Amino acid sequence: MTPSYQLRVSSSTGTLQAVVTDYTYLTYTRQVNKVGMLQFALSADHDAVQYLTDKALVEVWRRDAARDVDWHCDYYGMVRTTQYAYPGSGPETFTVWAPSMLSLLGWRIVAWHAGTANRSAFDGVKAETVLNTLVSYNACAAATTANGRLRDGAITGLTAEADGAGGNTVDWNCAYANLLQTCQELCRISGGDMDVVTTAPATWQWRWYAGQLGTDRSATVVLALNRGNMASPTYIDARADERTVAIVGGQGEGTSRATSIRTGTNYNASTNNVETFVDARQETTTEGLQSKGDAALGEAEARPSFACDLIETPSLVYHRDFDLGDLVTARYRTVEETVKIDTVSISVAADGTETKRFGLVVP
């Protein structure tokens, strides 16, 4: 028995309008700290087309009854792009693209003057607090001119969870940066992950997850060819673009310009000594320069990566035994790594045939 899928279409205010099971195809990708994407196609004369307008809400509900996985919402997105197409032979089609709700953060910038303490400039603050503050004061109820923001910016339905002051201590300056992008950059050094989750119809909450989005299952979930739960593995060790030394430039000019030198995790003076320049002229402290350098080196660090097709077994079932953001153990050839399930991609044909792909990264 193949898994069952439904597309539940609601208005922008959360009123359910249609439940669709006769799609031409659907495919969706969930990603840690990144915007996911849902794409599906219907016949152009389908009754649900009238409801699939800009900012309509679409949920992908999934059930795998044969493996004891009940109905659950596996993806939640907002319609932003639609397309009518007539191929010349066959029926006219209507295609929808719906990014995940993390995309809401991309609607805002950090609209605070440079150097505004604890709004656009943070010195020695826990990463969760920085992230929570940025979201709260740029996209939630606190994003008001009365509080000092350059314009009112609250997004209807979006809140931030209570700050737990977790994660690594950082210095961070991000005036006028895109809110989503600066949050994504900070997550690389934060000691945790973030997401925007649906809590009620047309109601969302930004959340931070200490350590990782999912659960550490590395002691119990092992992916390996000889276990029959892995297919088509690839192990990539790409190092050509790695940078291990950051020369960070702060304020000032010429010989008066403030600088800081940072080295990355993989730095070796003899065998792995590769430089990059980081422009951090917005920073006013040595700690700020160091944080920018560390973030740049974290992004440029060479990390082995796994990709594989996971073959579900009676003891290893998607959503029941593992999910996006979980840590698992991956074995291939002589390599054994604790890896994070960073991406889940699912495609479903009209006949119900399901294909899954899991992207694994070394955290």
Side-chain angles (χ1 to χ4, degrees), residues 101-121:
M101 302 317 300
L102 190 62
S103 63
L104 292 175
L105 301 191
W107 294 7
R108 295 291 181 264
I109 68 168
V110 181
W112 294 79
H113 291 299
T116 305
N118 298 317
R119 295 295 180 266
S120 65

Side-chain angles (χ1 to χ4, degrees), residues 310-350:
L310 188 150
I311 301 173
E312 291 174 298
T313 66
S315 61
L316 187 60
V317 176
Y318 172 60
H319 190 76
R320 190 191 72 187
D321 303 309
F322 67 95
D323 209 334
L324 181 72
D326 286 355
L327 300 182
V328 301
T329 295
R331 295 174 182 164
Y332 175 52
R333 299 180 66 84
T334 61
V335 177
E336 178 173 319
E337 293 277 4
T338 296
V339 297
K340 180 189 291 186
I341 301 176
D342 182 69
T343 306
V344 176
S345 296
I346 297 180
S347 296
V348 186

Side-chain angles (χ1 to χ4, degrees), residues 264-278:
T265 302
N266 293 337
Y267 169 75
N268 183 288
S270 300
T271 62
N272 202 18
N273 189 341
V274 186
E275 297 176 345
T276 187
F277 177 73
V278 179

Side-chain angles (χ1 to χ4, degrees), residues 223-248:
L223 308 181
L225 289 169
N226 61 4
R227 290 175 175 252
N229 58 16
M230 175 190 285
S232 304
T234 60
Y235 174 78
I236 302 171
D237 188 11
R239 297 187 176 274
D241 295 326
E242 182 176 43
R243 298 293 181 265
T244 59
V245 181
I247 300 174
V248 188

